[in-house]
Amino acid sequence: AQSVTQLDSQVPVFEEAPVELRCNYSSSVSVYLFWYVQYPNQGLQLLLKYLSGSTLVKGINGFEAEFNKSQTSFHLRKPSVHISDTAEYFCAVSDHTGNQFYFGTGTSLTVIP
Amino acid sequence: EPEVTQTPSHQVTQMGQEVILRCVPISNHLYFYWYRQILGQKVEFLVSFYNNEISEKSEIFDDQFSVERPDGSNFTLKIRSTKLEDSAMYFCASTLGLVTDTQYFGPGTRLTVL
């Protein structure tokens, strides 16, 4: 089975500052990795995913993440955040069947004007 | 852009009652999922469904839970006898095919069991 750990439950950051949201996973098999964003009263929206190939993955809204197999991490970054980035961010992992997704507990990103 | 819809947005029920949560996946999608999120906790996988049968289910998905695709558009989650600990946000998701495809999530149904 897989599991995901998001080390920071809340991350406040000033507008236009960079941000990194941390995600670590554990798995005995090869995995796919995902980051989702949840805006208030909305469902989860995919930001980006790592399936294979380049370890640096670019997603929507200027976010990117880097897969580090040796450190079993998949941290999410954005060089300059905007007020509209305030949301809950979830890291998720799946094995290659995709029948089960395992989510982290989420990180609440608050962008301060 | 097509989207997954869920009804109702909020359901309040008495302990022991049956509830049915409804989802309309994106029309050409083939794989369907239910997740739940207890307040303040992580999103937890419940079940995946393909070709009119369950593909995978978690230990949470016990005999009190069932899923059905009664027609070509709806995908339902039934809880036969609700317990207080079933109170959570329930998300439906669908994907076109393989795991490499994007899962589209609905906005969720908040279930409150009193």
Side-chain angles (χ1 to χ4, degrees):
Chain A
Q2 298 85 43
S3 68
V4 176
T5 302
Q6 291 183 245
L7 297 168
D8 307 300
S9 60
Q10 295 185 11
V11 173
V13 62
F14 285 103
E15 192 175 14
E16 297 183 5
V19 70
E20 178 180 83
L21 306 184
R22 296 181 292 170
C23 172
N24 288 88
Y25 70 93
S26 67
S27 176
S28 57
V29 299
S30 296
V31 296
Y32 296 139
L33 294 155
F34 307 80
W35 274 99
Y36 285 85
V37 60
Q38 184 181 28
Y39 299 105
N41 301 315
Q42 295 187 28
L44 297 161
Q45 179 183 1
L46 181 68
L47 274 179
L48 47 79
K49 58 186 175 185
Y50 171 79
L51 304 177
S52 65
S54 172
T55 57
L56 183 63
V57 181
K58 294 190 183 298
I60 62 172
N61 301 341
F63 283 93
E64 64 181 32
E66 185 153 20
F67 170 57
N68 188 319
K69 188 174 182 179
S70 62
Q71 296 186 7
T72 60
S73 67
F74 190 55
H75 301 331
L76 180 71
R77 302 186 185 98
K78 186 169 182 177
S80 175
V81 294
H82 190 265
I83 295 290
S84 60
D85 293 324
T86 293
E88 192 84 13
Y89 291 80
F90 293 93
C91 181
V93 63
S94 166
D95 66 16
H96 286 193
T97 68
N99 281 326
Q100 286 205 30
F101 274 66
Y102 297 89
F103 284 82
T105 50
T107 297
S108 178
L109 174 65
T110 301
V111 179
I112 305 164
Chain B
E1 185 174 330
E3 59 183 15
V4 177
T5 59
Q6 290 185 243
T7 54
S9 58
H10 191 188
Q11 172 96 43
V12 180
T13 190
Q14 295 290 327
M15 190 171 56
Q17 295 295 304
E18 174 184 287
V19 294
I20 298 176
L21 309 183
R22 291 182 167 78
C23 167
V24 179
I26 294 172
S27 62
N28 62 338
H29 282 191
L30 301 176
Y31 292 79
F32 314 110
Y33 307 81
W34 281 103
Y35 297 84
R36 78 172 186 191
Q37 183 182 26
I38 295 172
L39 187 63
Q41 298 184 25
K42 66 173 70 176
V43 176
E44 299 172 293
F45 168 80
L46 291 178
V47 66
S48 59
F49 190 86
Y50 169 72
N51 199 26
N52 283 321
E53 59 183 29
I54 291 174
S55 306
E56 194 81 39
K57 60 183 181 180
S58 71
E59 58 267 22
I60 301 169
F61 195 88
D62 60 22
D63 292 343
Q64 293 298 311
F65 291 88
S66 63
V67 289
E68 193 178 27
R69 189 155 162 81
D71 52 43
S73 60
N74 289 284
F75 180 50
T76 62
L77 174 69
K78 181 192 290 185
I79 309 175
R80 287 191 184 82
S81 178
T82 50
K83 302 186 281 287
L84 294 176
E85 53 265 36
D86 293 327
S87 294
M89 182 73 90
Y90 288 81
F91 293 104
C92 172
S94 71
T95 186
L96 178 60
L98 300 173
V99 67
T100 51
D101 294 327
T102 298
Q103 276 198 15
Y104 290 85
F105 283 78
T109 292
R110 180 166 297 285
L111 175 65
T112 302
V113 182
L114 302 176

